[in-house]
Amino acid sequence: MYAIRSLLLDGLNATGNIATAAGSTASSAAGGGGAVALTDTRQPCGAALFVTSSQLSANVAAGGGSGGALAADGSRTHQQLLLVNSTLGSNQADQGGAVAVVRNASLALSGCRLQVRGEGWGRCDVQACCSLQVVQCYVARGLWVCL
């Protein structure tokens, strides 16, 4: 069996998705990564997700979840998110309305636009991560970083 360690999403249009807790169908159960979640990867070297020229909008991490559009949780192994020339607009989550990156994970943004719907903890929630790089991006209403 061959396992994928990295994935490129180019020109992705993910709109109106709702992430709930694993195994739940209730929209009130906490979930993360309304459009894409990179979690619990059992690869020895972790996994990487590259998102380019994409639009992720109106996605929701339900029930107090994190990462309205994207979430990476490096609890088990290192996770990497790289976003280039992409827009994350009107996504919603209690923590990280656009993106949430926690524990042993890294986030790099280049030429991106991040906006959220609602209040939450900000556009990008980064907690105890390996690295954060932001180059020529527009982040509406603040960036929440807790290292």
Side-chain angles (χ1 to χ4, degrees):
M1 180 177 188
Y2 180 74
I4 297 173
R5 291 190 187 167
S6 63
L7 178 64
L8 168 64
L9 300 174
D10 183 36
L12 173 68
N13 185 3
T15 303
N17 299 291
I18 299 175
T20 59
S24 174
T25 57
S27 61
S28 61
V36 179
L38 190 58
T39 62
D40 195 25
T41 304
R42 296 169 194 256
Q43 296 298 317
C45 298
L49 175 65
F50 304 95
V51 180
T52 63
S53 305
S54 295
Q55 174 83 27
L56 287 75
S57 60
N59 299 293
V60 177
S66 58
L70 295 169
D73 182 350
S75 296
R76 194 173 287 237
T77 61
H78 184 250
Q79 311 292 345
Q80 292 179 293
L81 282 177
L82 171 63
L83 283 75
V84 178
N85 298 329
S86 295
T87 299
L88 284 68
S90 298
N91 296 289
Q92 185 175 5
D94 281 358
Q95 298 176 348
V99 180
V101 179
V102 296
R103 297 176 190 88
N104 189 25
S106 301
L107 172 65
L109 304 166
S110 178
C112 294
R113 184 175 185 86
L114 281 65
Q115 296 175 301
V116 297
R117 180 176 68 220
E119 292 305 316
W121 268 22
R123 305 339 106 208
C124 184
D125 183 21
V126 179
Q127 298 184 29
C129 73
C130 287
S131 70
L132 169 67
Q133 298 177 351
V134 180
V135 179
Q136 297 180 342
C137 293
Y138 172 77
V139 181
R141 295 190 299 165
L143 180 69
W144 177 267
V145 178
C146 177
L147 301 175

